[in-house]
Amino acid sequence: MNTQYLATIGRIIIGLFFLAAGASKIGGPAPAEQVVRMLEAGVPAPELMFALAAACETTAGLCFILGLHVRLVSLLLFAFTVLVSILLHAFWTFTGEERTVQMIMFLKNIALSGGLLAFAGFGPGKLSLDHWFGKGD
């Protein structure tokens, strides 16, 4: 299979992940619980940070799907994902089953961060708006 198609498929999958995460914050059933979790984790101004996270994830997801500003968005999402992992999925502070759940979430985010760095380094691929406007690969 041609690598341009593989890059596009991978970019869209990662974009859908962030779009779904942001959309679930915007229209999800339990944002108050997530804000409380952020407060308990020591996140300053958790209501504001929750709204910013929703906006960032949604916007970044759309950018990734379209292939728009992929290198920049990749780096921003990398920083966001690592920060969220350390602040909200600090599995080393939990015990029992919750420790396992948080460790899985932490490791999933770190693995996702690797994919984000790959897109920051290699670009969006040829099937992207960045490439179309001459800012790709």
Side-chain angles (χ1 to χ4, degrees), residues 37-62:
R37 171 98 168 82
M38 292 172 77
L39 180 64
E40 290 170 349
V43 174
E47 295 88 359
L48 175 62
M49 293 299 156
F50 182 80
L52 287 174
C56 289
E57 287 176 325
T58 303
T59 303
L62 287 171

Side-chain angles (χ1 to χ4, degrees), residues 61-132:
L62 287 171
C63 284
F64 237 73
I65 291 167
L66 297 172
L68 184 63
H69 304 297
V70 170
R71 289 179 191 264
L72 174 63
V73 171
S74 295
L75 292 173
L76 294 172
L77 283 174
F78 171 79
F80 172 81
T81 303
V82 170
L83 184 63
V84 165
S85 299
I86 293 168
L87 291 176
L88 299 177
H89 301 298
F91 65 91
W92 52 91
T93 65
F94 292 90
T95 59
E97 187 176 318
E98 187 62 20
R99 181 183 182 107
T100 303
V101 170
Q102 294 303 323
M103 184 169 49
I104 290 168
M105 297 294 285
F106 180 89
L107 293 172
K108 178 257 314 167
N109 282 357
I110 297 305
L112 181 61
S113 296
L116 292 168
L117 286 178
F119 278 103
F122 295 114
K126 292 185 181 191
L127 299 175
S128 66
L129 289 179
D130 282 348
H131 186 75
W132 181 269

